[in-house]
Amino acid sequence: MLAKLHHAEIQPIRQPEPGLPDPWRGVLNRLRVIALRCRVAAQTDLFHACALISTGDRADEDIHAQALFKCLREALGRRGVFYRPGTAEVSFDEAWLMRAVIAASQGDGDSLTFLVRSRVQFNHQRQIAFLIKGIARRSSQL
């Protein structure tokens, strides 16, 4: 009976897109805009970027997101995938970042720690968590 199955009958299993409530979809699109701007900007050392944020003024409200995108390649060991604003599909990197931002905004430190440890090189975990918490604080003000 298995020999009679046609190739056309076998359909790949599609993973459902992560559902983001509307307010979080807006945050994702804002982060995508920042990621686009940071693509052409110079990359920054993660430790240096966090030190500047800690001691500098916060005139730019998206400073945590800008620092994150300028340092993400260093922290992940590869370039992250972020789509253009308005794209319905969500990349793995975007879903990971949004889960981390949502966990941080809800005060779920255990989930945030798990998410950061699961993807970020050990020596960058503290700085990436700091930047994600900054993004979460900014997102809760919107």
Side-chain angles (χ1 to χ4, degrees), residues 23-84:
W24 292 111
R25 179 64 68 170
V27 171
L28 174 60
N29 280 321
R30 184 176 56 81
L31 292 174
R32 286 173 168 173
V33 169
I34 296 166
L36 278 174
R37 279 191 273 145
C38 290
R39 275 175 137 173
V40 295
Q43 299 299 299
T44 305
D45 173 72
L46 187 55
F47 182 79
H48 181 70
C50 290
L52 286 175
I53 291 171
S54 296
T55 60
D57 69 35
R58 300 214 175 136
D60 188 346
E61 297 173 336
D62 291 321
I63 195 165
H64 292 90
Q66 290 172 17
L68 177 75
F69 288 119
K70 288 180 182 181
C71 303
L72 198 57
R73 178 181 288 195
E74 177 186 0
L76 296 178
R78 65 170 186 76
R79 187 174 155 212
V81 176
F82 292 85
Y83 297 135
R84 292 191 172 279

Side-chain angles (χ1 to χ4, degrees), residues 86-115:
T87 303
E89 189 176 349
V90 177
S91 74
F92 181 81
D93 294 316
E94 291 172 332
W96 169 79
L97 179 58
M98 290 308 301
R99 285 191 303 267
V101 169
I102 291 168
S105 71
Q106 294 174 343
D108 185 355
D110 291 338
S111 293
L112 176 62
T113 299
F114 171 80
L115 288 163

Side-chain angles (χ1 to χ4, degrees), residues 30-31 64-65 68 101 131-139:
R30 184 176 56 81
L31 292 174
H64 292 90
L68 177 75
V101 169
L131 295 173
I132 289 172
K133 288 175 186 176
I135 294 168
R137 278 191 304 274
R138 167 73 175 122
S139 298

